[in-house]
Amino acid sequence: MTDGGLDTPGESQSGARRTDGPAALLPPYREREESISLGTLDEQPVSGTEVDIDGGPDRETELMTINLGPHHPATHGVLRLLCTLEGEVVRDIKPLIGYVHTGIEKSCEDQEYWKAITFVERMDYLAYYFNAQVYCMSVETLLEEEVPPRAQYLRVIHMELNRIASHLFWLGTAALDIGAITMLWWALRERDLMLDLFEMSSGQRLHTRYFQVGGVFEDIPPGWEAKCRRALEVMPARLDQYEALLDENEIWLQRMKNTGIVAREELLALGVTGPLLRATGEPWDLRKAMPYSSYGDFQFRIPVGTVGDNYDRYRVRLAEIRESLKIVEQALDGLPEGPFITSNRKVALPPRHELATSMEALIHHFKLVTEGFRVPPGEAYSAIESPRGELGCYVLADGSAKPSRVHMRDPSFVNLQSLKAMGENSLIADFIACIAMLDPILGGIDR
């Protein structure tokens, strides 16, 4: 790895995806739901191993349309992919979504602002801290509420630990798709270290609801920092183990290198962000480009690739884990003293010990729990860097205690557009690797 980039020796744009082929011959979508013959069958069709991937005089005379998903494990969720195959070559891909639609955005309009946090956490269910953060940022902007420095640092710590846990789960499942089952057990082993920390600070391992409007739910308990530092010490050696296992695996390398290449310009045109974009060499990361929640206080690099293939996407995410470890360590070293949530009793619940001695605190507690807090009319959009790219939240307030509109810009939804460019004209075995490197979360796509 070099500063600001990932070295991928021997790879270049010469391995870019071919765009020539029988695109003009593809039948309409409705017709493709059955196997359609594109020509006479006078010539004996060749087997899949003999198919010319780039098309030509020896190409297959019949296309077959199959459904990959919505229950296929390699789709990483309830995603249906309508794939047109020519032998073992993928000629066309049409993602079909909506199978896990939850209506979370609409449900938020029927909840008080503080209750909606529980809903938004369940969109991208592997990055729940990020969902809560971006929603709280939008509400805090409307309220003009200042978040205490300690709360900002605690948010950064938990988000970066969540980024590590999300990337570990991606790495284990992606390797499993290729056949490296050992990687799944190793990744889940380290992910449990992060979930143990979440359980210790919030009481929950998943969907913690730790972030609140104006700060966090509670300060970290005694012993949490020491346990976190022990996890930080373990991770670098474990990452070395992952690389030693995968970077010497010939099957993994064959499925990763020079597969799924998409040009930087094409991804930018589609609005793709996150590791997919950075793997092409574009160092766009909102933590650096538009710092939020004290990220400007920390020193870290933005890993980027050089080719934009599946191997670069894998290397970028692994390097991001190492950078997240640095951020957490810096945040623990510089963790400010002070309150962990705003002192505005009209927004945040008063401390429990005040309820027995202060009638005013009791009234604030009762009003917040039963009615919530009112937000002045207006609209706000906030964006942060989630494990999958730019995660945005738009909130429209009408002056009541419930949002008039909540809309999320989920990176999985936007990034799904690039799957066609990644997998078209590739072998179906390589296409499975492309799905894994996409890292889609269907809870965010079908929100």
Side-chain angles (χ1 to χ4, degrees):
M1 185 195 308
T2 58
D3 192 13
L6 290 175
D7 257 341
T8 319
E11 311 296 343
S12 68
Q13 291 293 347
S14 61
R17 180 182 60 84
R18 294 288 297 272
T19 56
D20 54 331
L25 299 178
L26 289 178
Y29 157 61
R30 286 298 174 189
E31 296 180 10
R32 288 206 314 273
E33 292 205 355
E34 299 177 2
S35 182
I36 300 297
S37 174
L38 295 184
T40 63
L41 296 179
D42 297 336
E43 298 180 3
Q44 182 68 23
V46 296
S47 66
T49 57
E50 297 172 326
V51 172
D52 179 7
I53 293 181
D54 299 318
D58 295 326
R59 57 181 301 276
E60 186 68 83
T61 57
E62 180 177 298
L63 297 184
M64 180 175 64
T65 301
I66 64 169
N67 284 299
L68 187 63
H71 299 301
H72 193 289
T75 59
H76 291 258
V78 196
L79 172 65
R80 179 187 173 195
L81 298 170
L82 195 64
C83 300
T84 301
L85 304 181
E86 181 185 356
E88 293 187 16
V89 180
V90 179
R91 291 302 186 190
D92 191 37
I93 305 153
K94 184 177 182 65
L96 301 174
I97 62 176
Y99 289 90
V100 71
H101 181 57
T102 54
I104 289 177
E105 291 179 341
K106 192 67 178 176
S107 297
C108 290
E109 299 173 15
D110 195 41
Q111 304 295 327
E112 285 84 8
Y113 282 93
W114 69 281
K115 291 181 180 179
I117 298 173
T118 304
F119 285 78
V120 298
E121 276 192 341
R122 285 156 173 79
M123 294 183 182
D124 185 339
Y125 40 77
L126 291 182
Y128 29 90
Y129 281 113
F130 294 89
N131 299 337
Q133 166 74 6
V134 72
Y135 170 78
C136 288
M137 283 174 60
S138 293
V139 178
E140 288 158 0
T141 300
L142 291 169
L143 290 169
E144 298 182 352
E145 194 65 46
E146 194 71 29
V147 179
R150 184 175 182 86
Q152 292 189 22
Y153 271 56
L154 290 175
R155 285 181 173 185
V156 167
I157 291 170
H158 283 80
M159 281 192 290
E160 292 307 311
L161 292 175
N162 194 183
R163 190 187 309 276
I164 294 170
S166 177
H167 281 348
L168 287 175
F169 196 81
W170 156 81
L171 180 62
T173 53
L176 181 64
D177 288 346
I178 310 300
I181 191 170
T182 302
M183 191 65 254
L184 177 66
W185 310 138
W186 285 6
L188 293 181
R189 177 188 62 190
E190 272 67 76
R191 179 172 177 262
D192 265 1
L193 297 177
M194 310 303 147
L195 301 190
D196 290 343
L197 291 168
F198 299 160
E199 185 177 16
M200 190 173 179
S201 61
S202 68
Q204 297 290 333
R205 299 174 71 81
L206 300 172
H207 308 306
T208 61
R209 208 188 181 284
Y210 183 67
F211 291 3
Q212 309 292 322
V213 175
V216 296
F217 171 72
E218 187 60 87
D219 207 346
I220 52 176
W224 191 93
E225 181 179 343
K227 187 171 184 177
C228 183
R229 289 188 184 276
R230 287 196 296 271
L232 298 181
E233 292 172 1
V234 165
M235 283 303 301
R238 299 292 169 84
L239 291 170
D240 292 340
Q241 288 181 359
Y242 305 161
E243 293 174 346
L245 177 70
L246 294 176
D247 289 349
E248 301 296 329
N249 187 307
E250 189 62 30
I251 298 176
W252 175 264
L253 296 177
Q254 288 290 335
R255 292 285 172 247
M256 292 292 109
K257 290 194 173 184
N258 268 327
T259 61
I261 298 175
V262 185
R264 165 183 166 274
E265 292 75 16
E266 187 171 358
L267 293 181
L268 287 172
L270 293 172
V272 172
T273 54
L276 295 180
L277 179 62
R278 291 191 286 273
T280 65
E282 178 67 37
W284 179 256
D285 189 311
L286 291 177
R287 295 173 295 174
K288 287 281 192 182
M290 302 168 62
Y292 55 91
S293 192
S294 75
Y295 269 108
D297 297 346
F298 310 114
Q299 299 295 321
F300 61 98
R301 296 186 307 150
I302 305 301
V304 296
T306 55
V307 179
D309 59 359
N310 285 330
Y311 186 76
D312 273 356
R313 295 170 189 130
Y314 148 70
R315 296 294 299 175
V316 163
R317 287 188 175 100
L318 237 59
E320 284 186 1
I321 295 178
R322 296 186 187 274
E323 297 304 312
S324 292
L325 294 173
K326 297 177 185 177
I327 295 173
V328 174
E329 186 173 11
Q330 293 175 61
L332 290 175
D333 292 340
L335 187 61
E337 298 295 333
F340 56 85
I341 197 167
T342 178
S343 58
N344 185 354
R345 294 291 181 259
K346 296 187 181 298
V347 173
L349 292 172
R352 186 175 295 275
H353 64 84
E354 289 185 7
L355 300 182
T357 58
S358 171
M359 177 56 71
E360 185 179 1
L362 189 63
I363 292 172
H364 281 311
H365 188 282
F366 179 80
K367 294 279 286 182
L368 283 172
V369 171
T370 57
E371 300 177 7
F373 51 81
R374 294 184 179 272
V375 175
E379 57 183 355
Y381 177 81
S382 299
I384 65 174
E385 190 69 31
S386 86
R388 274 153 283 281
E390 180 181 334
L391 173 64
C393 179
Y394 169 82
V395 175
L396 176 65
D398 58 6
S400 68
K402 298 179 180 180
S404 177
R405 181 77 173 97
V406 174
H407 176 64
M408 305 291 282
R409 183 211 185 272
D410 193 277
S412 290
F413 178 78
V414 179
N415 293 352
L416 184 61
Q417 300 173 96
S418 65
L419 185 59
K420 179 180 175 69
M422 290 168 61
E424 207 171 43
N425 294 326
S426 69
L427 291 171
I428 192 167
D430 293 335
F431 180 54
I432 298 301
C434 292
I435 300 172
M437 294 301 113
L438 184 67
D439 191 20
I441 301 297
L442 272 294
I445 292 175
D446 288 343
R447 67 203 176 283

mmCIF file of all heavy atoms in Angstrom, residues 5 36 40 108 143 154 228 248 270 302 317 319 343 371 377 422 426:
data_model
loop_
_atom_site.group_PDB
_atom_site.id
_atom_site.type_symbol
_atom_site.label_atom_id
_atom_site.label_comp_id
_atom_site.label_asym_id
_atom_site.label_seq_id
_atom_site.Cartn_x
_atom_site.Cartn_y
_atom_site.Cartn_z
ATOM 1 N N GLY A 5 -3.131 5.417 -1.532
ATOM 2 C CA GLY A 5 -3.526 4.477 -2.564
ATOM 3 C C GLY A 5 -3.159 3.071 -2.209
ATOM 4 O O GLY A 5 -2.413 2.824 -1.277
ATOM 5 N N ILE A 36 -35.424 -17.432 -24.665
ATOM 6 C CA ILE A 36 -35.745 -16.940 -26.004
ATOM 7 C C ILE A 36 -34.642 -17.326 -26.978
ATOM 8 O O ILE A 36 -33.462 -17.136 -26.716
ATOM 9 C CB ILE A 36 -35.903 -15.401 -25.994
ATOM 10 C CG1 ILE A 36 -37.035 -14.989 -25.038
ATOM 11 C CG2 ILE A 36 -36.182 -14.865 -27.388
ATOM 12 C CD1 ILE A 36 -38.380 -15.506 -25.432
ATOM 13 N N THR A 40 -31.757 -19.182 -35.652
ATOM 14 C CA THR A 40 -32.053 -20.563 -35.995
ATOM 15 C C THR A 40 -31.110 -21.484 -35.241
ATOM 16 O O THR A 40 -30.009 -21.104 -34.857
ATOM 17 C CB THR A 40 -31.869 -20.780 -37.503
ATOM 18 O OG1 THR A 40 -30.510 -20.540 -37.838
ATOM 19 C CG2 THR A 40 -32.766 -19.824 -38.288
ATOM 20 N N CYS A 108 -42.004 6.743 10.187
ATOM 21 C CA CYS A 108 -41.412 7.826 10.986
ATOM 22 C C CYS A 108 -42.345 9.026 11.089
ATOM 23 O O CYS A 108 -42.284 9.779 12.066
ATOM 24 C CB CYS A 108 -40.081 8.251 10.382
ATOM 25 S SG CYS A 108 -38.755 7.041 10.557
ATOM 26 N N LEU A 143 -33.271 22.044 15.283
ATOM 27 C CA LEU A 143 -33.403 22.567 16.641
ATOM 28 C C LEU A 143 -32.307 23.570 16.995
ATOM 29 O O LEU A 143 -32.398 24.232 18.036
ATOM 30 C CB LEU A 143 -33.344 21.411 17.654
ATOM 31 C CG LEU A 143 -34.525 20.450 17.691
ATOM 32 C CD1 LEU A 143 -34.187 19.239 18.551
ATOM 33 C CD2 LEU A 143 -35.766 21.151 18.235
ATOM 34 N N LEU A 154 -17.766 10.247 21.598
ATOM 35 C CA LEU A 154 -18.375 8.938 21.847
ATOM 36 C C LEU A 154 -19.107 8.439 20.599
ATOM 37 O O LEU A 154 -19.099 7.240 20.297
ATOM 38 C CB LEU A 154 -19.328 9.007 23.037
ATOM 39 C CG LEU A 154 -18.676 9.182 24.413
ATOM 40 C CD1 LEU A 154 -19.737 9.364 25.493
ATOM 41 C CD2 LEU A 154 -17.789 7.986 24.749
ATOM 42 N N CYS A 228 -12.050 -1.823 25.258
ATOM 43 C CA CYS A 228 -11.949 -1.356 23.878
ATOM 44 C C CYS A 228 -10.499 -1.350 23.421
ATOM 45 O O CYS A 228 -10.185 -1.770 22.296
ATOM 46 C CB CYS A 228 -12.555 0.036 23.762
ATOM 47 S SG CYS A 228 -12.568 0.701 22.072
ATOM 48 N N GLU A 248 -3.095 -15.517 -0.558
ATOM 49 C CA GLU A 248 -2.372 -16.678 -1.089
ATOM 50 C C GLU A 248 -3.327 -17.730 -1.641
ATOM 51 O O GLU A 248 -2.903 -18.816 -2.013
ATOM 52 C CB GLU A 248 -1.503 -17.312 0.017
ATOM 53 C CG GLU A 248 -0.462 -16.370 0.615
ATOM 54 C CD GLU A 248 0.575 -15.944 -0.404
ATOM 55 O OE1 GLU A 248 0.881 -16.739 -1.317
ATOM 56 O OE2 GLU A 248 1.069 -14.804 -0.308
ATOM 57 N N LEU A 270 -23.254 7.605 -11.973
ATOM 58 C CA LEU A 270 -24.341 6.872 -11.307
ATOM 59 C C LEU A 270 -24.575 7.339 -9.885
ATOM 60 O O LEU A 270 -25.555 6.930 -9.253
ATOM 61 C CB LEU A 270 -24.021 5.367 -11.301
ATOM 62 C CG LEU A 270 -24.018 4.659 -12.661
ATOM 63 C CD1 LEU A 270 -23.507 3.235 -12.507
ATOM 64 C CD2 LEU A 270 -25.410 4.658 -13.276
ATOM 65 N N ILE A 302 -7.313 8.066 3.555
ATOM 66 C CA ILE A 302 -8.418 7.531 2.752
ATOM 67 C C ILE A 302 -7.831 6.516 1.782
ATOM 68 O O ILE A 302 -7.199 6.897 0.789
ATOM 69 C CB ILE A 302 -9.149 8.648 1.968
ATOM 70 C CG1 ILE A 302 -9.617 9.756 2.908
ATOM 71 C CG2 ILE A 302 -10.324 8.058 1.200
ATOM 72 C CD1 ILE A 302 -10.552 9.281 3.982
ATOM 73 N N ARG A 317 -11.461 -1.958 1.614
ATOM 74 C CA ARG A 317 -12.226 -2.178 2.849
ATOM 75 C C ARG A 317 -11.333 -2.683 3.982
ATOM 76 O O ARG A 317 -11.506 -2.289 5.139
ATOM 77 C CB ARG A 317 -13.367 -3.158 2.580
ATOM 78 C CG ARG A 317 -14.512 -2.554 1.756
ATOM 79 C CD ARG A 317 -15.698 -3.508 1.692
ATOM 80 N NE ARG A 317 -16.829 -2.920 1.011
ATOM 81 C CZ ARG A 317 -17.168 -3.160 -0.259
ATOM 82 N NH1 ARG A 317 -16.400 -3.971 -0.993
ATOM 83 N NH2 ARG A 317 -18.225 -2.592 -0.801
ATOM 84 N N ALA A 319 -8.178 -1.999 4.327
ATOM 85 C CA ALA A 319 -7.391 -0.845 4.770
ATOM 86 C C ALA A 319 -8.248 0.117 5.595
ATOM 87 O O ALA A 319 -7.743 0.770 6.515
ATOM 88 C CB ALA A 319 -6.803 -0.127 3.554
ATOM 89 N N SER A 343 -27.764 19.783 27.777
ATOM 90 C CA SER A 343 -28.412 20.129 29.048
ATOM 91 C C SER A 343 -29.792 20.715 28.839
ATOM 92 O O SER A 343 -30.465 21.078 29.820
ATOM 93 C CB SER A 343 -27.542 21.132 29.820
ATOM 94 O OG SER A 343 -27.317 22.301 29.041
ATOM 95 N N GLU A 371 -45.357 13.326 25.014
ATOM 96 C CA GLU A 371 -45.630 14.187 23.875
ATOM 97 C C GLU A 371 -44.426 14.369 22.942
ATOM 98 O O GLU A 371 -44.590 14.741 21.776
ATOM 99 C CB GLU A 371 -46.091 15.577 24.349
ATOM 100 C CG GLU A 371 -47.361 15.550 25.182
ATOM 101 C CD GLU A 371 -47.738 16.933 25.682
ATOM 102 O OE1 GLU A 371 -47.072 17.906 25.253
ATOM 103 O OE2 GLU A 371 -48.684 17.050 26.482
ATOM 104 N N PRO A 377 -40.677 24.764 12.300
ATOM 105 C CA PRO A 377 -40.851 24.445 10.869
ATOM 106 C C PRO A 377 -39.569 24.694 10.091
ATOM 107 O O PRO A 377 -38.844 25.658 10.335
ATOM 108 C CB PRO A 377 -41.967 25.408 10.431
ATOM 109 C CG PRO A 377 -42.680 25.780 11.684
ATOM 110 C CD PRO A 377 -41.649 25.763 12.773
ATOM 111 N N MET A 422 -20.814 -3.905 -13.447
ATOM 112 C CA MET A 422 -19.809 -4.790 -12.864
ATOM 113 C C MET A 422 -19.888 -6.198 -13.428
ATOM 114 O O MET A 422 -18.867 -6.857 -13.642
ATOM 115 C CB MET A 422 -19.979 -4.832 -11.341
ATOM 116 C CG MET A 422 -19.597 -3.554 -10.619
ATOM 117 S SD MET A 422 -20.135 -3.533 -8.884
ATOM 118 C CE MET A 422 -19.226 -4.939 -8.227
ATOM 119 N N SER A 426 -19.520 -11.016 -17.905
ATOM 120 C CA SER A 426 -18.587 -11.773 -17.073
ATOM 121 C C SER A 426 -19.110 -13.197 -16.897
ATOM 122 O O SER A 426 -20.279 -13.481 -17.176
ATOM 123 C CB SER A 426 -18.439 -11.109 -15.700
ATOM 124 O OG SER A 426 -19.642 -11.234 -14.946
#
